[in-house]
Amino acid sequence: DIQMTQSPVSLSASLEEIVTVTCKASQDIDTYLSWYQQKPGKSPQLLIYDATNLAAGVPSRFSGSRSGTQYSLEISRPQVDDSGIYYCLQSYSTPWTFGGGTRLE
Amino acid sequence: QVQMKETGPGLVQRTQTLSVTCTVSGFSLASYGVHWVRQAPGKGLEWMGVIWGDGNTNYNSGLRSRLIISRDTSKSQVFLIMNSLQTDDTAVYHCAIGSFWYVMDAWGQGASVTVSS
């Protein structure tokens, strides 16, 4: 199974900075990497797909990038509404696997 | 409009079998893969498995021996059946699909299942 190592586990951010969450895959997964946001008591929502493409309706302050087997989610000037838990997901091969999650406050 | 809703028993006894149903509307099960994802209290997301549009299935390696995903296309329903339940199977069980086969961008609200000892 492909392992997704996500970091950090948690972070707090001010409204003026750039927040970065990282996932490292245990092997090549090409661009089959997506990012999800989950708020308390809610279902996850897709933010980024194909490692870098913004999902429909997602604010442009969210962006994704890739460097080899390392993938990053960036949030520029995070808003209060961006609080929640963020997960990466590899869908390169089954079984699909999620990262452990990053709590953003 | 795509809609998905999970229904489950709420409470199940340890060692028993869990059955959760995902009822969908707005699309054909023959055209999309339906995934199951669960989340234990205070824990992260765990991909459980998928039934693809052609009816083929793939499962989480750690659950494969006790998990079956099936469907009834005429009723637009997908079924998750898992046996030999333990207390750590207590979780919210979600079904989800994707506009592309490699993402999940439509999720049900989830069905909360508690396994009682």
Side-chain angles (χ1 to χ4, degrees), chain A residues 44-59:
Chain A
Q45 285 196 307
L46 177 67
L47 296 175
I48 302 283
Y49 66 96
D50 281 347
T52 60
N53 291 333
L54 206 61
V58 175

Side-chain angles (χ1 to χ4, degrees), chain B residues 20-77:
Chain B
V20 184
T21 299
C22 175
T23 302
V24 309
S25 61
F27 68 96
S28 169
L29 292 179
S31 299
Y32 291 90
V34 176
H35 301 260
W36 286 97
V37 175
R38 71 177 178 176
Q39 186 169 36
K43 303 295 185 182
L45 301 173
E46 179 180 29
W47 184 85
M48 300 182 72
V50 59
I51 185 163
W52 298 106
D54 63 4
N56 286 325
T57 54
N58 292 107
Y59 297 111
N60 179 305
S61 302
L63 300 174
R64 181 177 292 122
S65 64
R66 57 190 187 104
L67 180 61
I68 295 174
I69 298 174
S70 63
R71 69 185 184 185
D72 184 335
T73 54
S74 67
K75 294 183 178 180
S76 294
Q77 292 181 323

Side-chain angles (χ1 to χ4, degrees), chain A residues 35-47 81-87 98 101-104, chain B residues 37-40 42-46 92 94 107-109:
Chain A
W35 291 96
Y36 299 80
Q37 177 195 61
Q38 187 179 31
K39 297 187 177 183
K42 300 295 186 181
S43 300
Q45 285 196 307
L46 177 67
L47 296 175
D81 189 53
D82 297 336
S83 295
I85 303 178
Y86 293 80
Y87 297 92
F98 286 96
T102 296
R103 182 181 299 273
L104 172 63
Chain B
V37 175
R38 71 177 178 176
Q39 186 169 36
K43 303 295 185 182
L45 301 173
E46 179 180 29
V92 175
H94 294 273
W107 294 66
Q109 62 190 19

